[in-house]
Amino acid sequence: MNPESILKGRMAESLVEELLKRSGNTVTRFGYESIVQNLMQLENAGEVEERLRAIPDFIVLDKKGKPEFVEVKFRFDPDAMLHDETIEVLERVEKYWNPLMVFVNCMEKPYFRVCRPPYFKNFSLPKKGLVFEPLAEAKEWHVDPAVYAEYEALVEKYLTPTLKGQSA
């Protein structure tokens, strides 16, 4: 991955983390980059290594204390959510963790979208269809509409300008 993609992915993670916290949820970083990366001294660990690399980004506790694994992915364009690389990621994390997937895009509102397992509900070859709902409508997190609007404005301020010169 190039440094710009890594930065945008981390920005998307931070936006989702803070949005959920500001809506009254408890968010704990949990992902590979946060916990396991330094422990990955395993050689030829096979499925264990694959499972560790698929650890979701966060554990989110709603206001009632119910935990959910959450994986965040940034994609410029909502249509990019169906690229082969994204499908491979979804298949891997679904196999081991079944997290809620939050996709952040900067081309089309809603910028924050949730995909729930099983991810591939509309299974029609050659393309698998994903079913999304706006993060603002995710009942388990009780996202405050004013806070949500604030974070959509942050996407427009910090991520949308990066589209200049990009092919979507």
Side-chain angles (χ1 to χ4, degrees):
M1 288 186 81
N2 70 43
E4 186 176 356
S5 294
I6 292 169
L7 176 62
K8 289 173 184 171
R10 292 209 177 124
M11 287 173 67
E13 288 175 15
S14 293
L15 287 168
V16 170
E17 177 181 16
E18 294 306 317
L19 169 61
L20 293 175
K21 282 181 179 178
R22 296 253 331 266
S23 294
N25 301 283
T26 301
V27 181
T28 303
R29 287 199 172 263
F30 184 66
Y32 173 78
E33 295 87 359
S34 299
I35 296 176
V36 183
Q37 191 170 16
N38 294 330
L39 301 176
M40 289 299 294
Q41 306 299 324
L42 307 171
E43 287 191 31
N44 301 322
E47 185 176 322
V48 171
E49 181 178 3
E50 186 177 340
R51 180 176 286 210
L52 291 174
R53 288 189 187 280
I55 288 177
D57 296 316
F58 302 111
I59 297 176
V60 178
L61 302 174
D62 67 12
K63 293 176 184 176
K64 295 178 182 176
K66 182 178 182 263
E68 291 282 356
F69 290 119
V70 177
E71 176 74 6
V72 178
K73 292 293 177 203
F74 173 75
R75 299 294 184 260
F76 279 108
D77 182 349
D79 291 338
M81 295 174 195
L82 291 174
H83 287 171
D84 290 342
E85 175 192 337
T86 303
I87 290 171
E88 288 174 21
V89 168
L90 287 169
E91 288 172 340
R92 187 172 57 245
V93 298
E94 183 178 31
K95 177 180 177 182
Y96 296 116
W97 298 96
N98 259 351
L100 294 178
M101 296 293 298
V102 177
F103 285 96
V104 179
N105 87 90
C106 59
M107 288 193 71
E108 179 182 295
K109 287 186 176 184
Y111 296 132
F112 300 92
R113 301 172 187 206
V114 177
C115 184
R116 299 172 183 280
Y119 306 123
F120 304 110
K121 293 178 180 131
N122 302 326
F123 209 79
S124 60
L125 297 175
K127 261 199 168 159
K128 299 175 181 182
L130 299 174
V131 177
F132 298 100
E133 71 177 289
L135 178 69
E137 296 174 13
K139 291 179 176 52
E140 60 271 85
W141 294 324
H142 307 284
V143 174
D144 180 299
V147 171
Y148 185 82
E150 194 178 321
Y151 280 81
E152 283 215 328
L154 289 171
V155 169
E156 290 172 354
K157 182 176 181 179
Y158 293 106
L159 291 173
T160 301
T162 65
L163 290 176
K164 293 180 182 175
Q166 292 286 332
S167 58

